[in-house]
Amino acid sequence: MSAIPCTLPDSSPGLLLRPDGAFALLVLAHGAGAGMEHPFLAGLATALARRGVATLRYPFPYLERKAGRPDPPAVLVRRVRAAVEFAGSQGAVPLFAGGKSLGGRMTSTAQAEDPLPGVRGLVFFGFPLHRPGQPGLARAEHLARVSLPMLFLQGTRDPLSELGLVRAVTGRLAPRATLHVVDGADHGFAVLKRSGRTGGEVIEELASVAADWMGALLA
């Protein structure tokens, strides 16, 4: 099973991985420092496909230009909307949206500003609450304006999301927010060797939890 290159409405590229009989399509954005073909995102897309979830991966403009710094939020949000628009044109399959770190935060920002057409829920793989060593909640303030169900998948060793703060945020957003904690995982969902787990096993856990959550919402 391999992803098929596609072109979004704003002429940017994308990768669509759609298994036969997919019950949902997740618009999946990358993190700040790694593009849509990063092994983590590719592995996650494949694991989701085995569980009946199609994915659309796409790049933010700054990575297309090979720039080192992300574009302003307004630019990133426009790309999120272009990706969701394309996903919505792919037949009658329920849509979800989200992404890794920055990609998830920009997706929720887009939804908070103006609802993303057809999207049923948001999935965050490591929501970046704050800069390393600078705990805070400012980046989560817009989530109060998101009326959709949200799934937060967070590692216990994530320096960009102090777990106590994540619990506080998701608690305030309940019942719209669901938190799944990955024991021992950092921001990239890497785990220490002494955990006895592999990166592949963690990806399988993430995909299983996300697919089950989407399926339950649609049931």
Side-chain angles (χ1 to χ4, degrees), residues 1-218:
M1 192 185 318
S2 58
I4 299 172
C6 55
T7 303
L8 306 189
D10 63 358
S11 299
S12 59
L15 290 171
L16 180 64
L17 181 55
R18 186 167 185 171
D20 292 339
F23 73 84
L25 196 167
L26 174 63
V27 182
L28 187 60
H30 60 74
M36 66 177 178
E37 297 186 70
H38 188 273
F40 172 82
L41 221 58
L44 181 60
T46 299
L48 286 165
R50 287 196 293 268
R51 292 163 172 82
V53 178
T55 53
L56 171 66
R57 288 175 280 153
Y58 61 96
F60 285 122
Y62 70 96
L63 283 188
E64 289 185 273
R65 303 192 310 273
K66 295 181 169 50
R69 177 176 293 184
D71 304 294
V75 175
L76 302 179
V77 164
R78 280 199 297 272
R79 181 57 56 86
V80 170
R81 293 192 180 283
V84 170
E85 180 183 346
F86 177 85
S89 71
Q90 297 306 296
V93 59
L95 296 184
F96 292 83
K100 176 72 182 73
S101 191
L102 174 72
R105 184 163 69 94
M106 289 300 102
T107 301
S108 60
T109 298
Q111 175 66 30
E113 292 177 354
D114 187 21
L116 296 164
V119 171
R120 307 283 191 93
L122 304 183
V123 184
F124 308 121
F125 297 94
F127 190 93
L129 271 184
H130 51 76
R131 295 180 184 276
Q134 301 178 37
L137 297 175
R139 290 180 174 179
E141 290 176 356
H142 70 281
L143 295 174
R145 302 191 300 277
V146 174
S147 60
L148 295 176
M150 292 171 274
L151 173 63
F152 292 76
L153 300 116
Q154 305 286 154
T156 58
R157 296 191 303 117
D158 189 342
L160 277 69
S161 296
E162 197 278 320
L163 189 57
L165 294 180
V166 176
R167 292 189 189 280
V169 168
T170 54
R172 284 203 295 266
L173 294 171
R176 300 194 310 280
T178 299
L179 172 62
H180 177 81
V181 176
V182 182
D183 188 45
D186 63 13
H187 190 62
F189 291 100
V191 291
L192 300 173
K193 287 185 178 180
R194 65 172 179 263
S195 72
R197 304 181 70 195
T198 66
E201 288 171 337
V202 173
I203 286 176
E204 293 295 328
E205 176 183 344
L206 296 171
S208 180
V209 171
D212 288 350
W213 180 81
M214 287 183 266
L217 284 180
L218 297 174

